[in-house]
Amino acid sequence: MSQFLELANIEIKKSHFSAGGLGSRIANTLLTQFHANNLSPRTRLPSESTIAKHFKVSRTVVREAIATLKTDGVLESRKGSGTFIGEKFKPNPEMVNEVTEQSVHALQDIIEVRRGIESEIAALAAVRRTPGQLSDIEDALRKIEKATNAGECGVEEDVRFHMLIAQATGNPYWLKFVDTFSYSLRAATSVTRANEDRRVDFALQVQEEHEAIVAAIASGNADLARQAASRHMINAAERLKFADRSFWKEEGSALARDIVENIPKS
């Protein structure tokens, strides 16, 4: 019991953006700490009320987190005894490190900001873009696809795609704002695209999401464009949750290091 309570001393920031909801965030946080603390199968978890009190959430949220981990085979219940780390769980203390944890939080922060910015930019572009600007955006989309098919990272093509959408708002301050944010945008895009390029289904999802944004802008429907851009950011955050262990031990950690080192000081 005490071993688990030690791992629960980490602070979960409920303000962080999470596509899967607070229950999913807590489930991911617990799983990360199971590995980081090298906990063994048959370790008993504290009661739901104790976990809820620590994280300052409802027991319903804790039940959601526990249910998620049970579905994944990480946890199991024993009638009359409580919830335990399952027999199939294989601890791996090398799975995460401080840089990884910091980088995941930083990426989620950046994606949260991008969601707000790019949703509004896409909505404005839908009603203000010129035929020439739409043509440029469509061309940028094709270049992303071409880079991806050629096995390239496509980061610059991706960033240019979003910059052109900002330009299509007709408001130079939106473009200047995005340009000011471009360093973080490129850094975050490098990590998300590196993760997405490791899986064909992720790469296809990104392409479909980009196409949906362009289609909405082409239709002139601001609400659809806003929704498409928001969905793209939500899904980007969700895909990061499924980054495998080797990604964070190899290129993911290296790419994210710049983000961690450049987190704004409060």
Side-chain angles (χ1 to χ4, degrees):
M1 175 79 76
S2 61
Q3 188 180 18
F4 179 83
L5 288 174
E6 287 178 7
L7 74 86
N9 285 330
I10 83 161
E11 177 184 0
I12 182 169
K13 297 181 179 180
K14 291 188 284 183
S15 61
H16 277 232
F17 170 69
S18 173
L22 188 54
S24 295
R25 278 292 304 278
I26 291 177
N28 288 337
T29 299
L30 294 179
L31 178 59
T32 294
Q33 293 303 306
F34 291 167
H35 285 289
N37 288 270
N38 201 24
L39 297 186
S40 60
R42 298 185 296 281
T43 300
R44 185 174 182 271
L45 272 65
S47 66
E48 289 180 357
S49 59
T50 299
I51 298 174
K53 182 178 180 180
H54 175 81
F55 287 121
K56 296 181 175 61
V57 297
S58 69
R59 291 180 66 177
T60 299
V61 172
V62 173
R63 290 192 191 103
E64 178 188 342
I66 290 175
T68 297
L69 293 174
K70 284 181 179 178
T71 299
D72 293 341
V74 176
L75 296 178
E76 59 184 33
S77 293
R78 299 178 188 175
K79 190 173 182 180
S81 298
T83 304
F84 296 78
I85 295 179
E87 297 289 344
K88 296 180 180 179
F89 176 75
K90 297 185 182 302
N92 184 347
E94 297 181 357
M95 191 188 84
V96 293
N97 54 39
E98 185 178 355
V99 171
T100 296
E101 290 185 10
Q102 290 179 342
S103 65
V104 170
H105 286 310
L107 282 165
Q108 288 172 333
D109 282 340
I110 292 172
I111 292 172
E112 178 180 2
V113 173
R114 287 188 65 188
R115 182 186 180 193
I117 294 172
E118 297 193 22
S119 296
E120 189 59 27
I121 284 175
L124 292 172
V127 295
R128 296 178 180 175
R129 55 82 182 167
T130 66
Q133 287 171 331
L134 176 61
S135 179
D136 288 341
I137 292 170
E138 292 172 336
D139 180 63
L141 177 61
R142 288 191 292 270
K143 287 181 178 177
I144 294 175
E145 184 176 9
K146 182 178 179 180
T148 301
N149 291 339
E152 300 170 359
C153 65
V155 172
E156 291 304 319
E157 290 82 359
D158 195 309
V159 171
R160 181 172 179 272
F161 171 74
H162 290 285
M163 293 289 283
L164 286 170
I165 294 175
Q167 189 174 42
T169 65
N171 184 336
Y173 291 98
W174 273 119
L175 185 60
K176 182 175 178 61
F177 186 79
V178 174
D179 186 57
T180 301
F181 191 58
S182 62
Y183 177 83
S184 294
L185 174 60
R186 281 182 170 82
T189 302
S190 295
V191 180
T192 55
R193 287 197 68 88
N195 174 47
E196 291 155 357
D197 287 347
R198 293 165 70 95
R199 288 180 50 170
V200 174
D201 56 335
F202 280 179
L204 290 174
Q205 287 171 17
V206 174
Q207 183 67 17
E208 291 170 358
E209 289 161 17
H210 281 160
E211 290 173 353
I213 293 171
V214 174
I217 291 174
S219 73
N221 189 316
D223 288 337
L224 281 180
R226 183 180 290 109
Q227 292 169 12
S230 178
R231 189 178 307 113
H232 178 44
M233 290 296 99
I234 289 173
N235 290 344
E238 189 68 22
R239 284 186 287 268
L240 277 177
K241 294 180 182 180
F242 293 96
D244 58 40
R245 182 183 311 158
S246 61
F247 173 73
W248 287 117
K249 288 178 66 177
E250 298 167 6
E251 58 183 323
S253 181
L255 289 169
R257 191 173 298 276
D258 280 347
I259 296 176
V260 175
E261 292 175 351
N262 289 277
I263 295 175
K265 305 302 181 183
S266 57

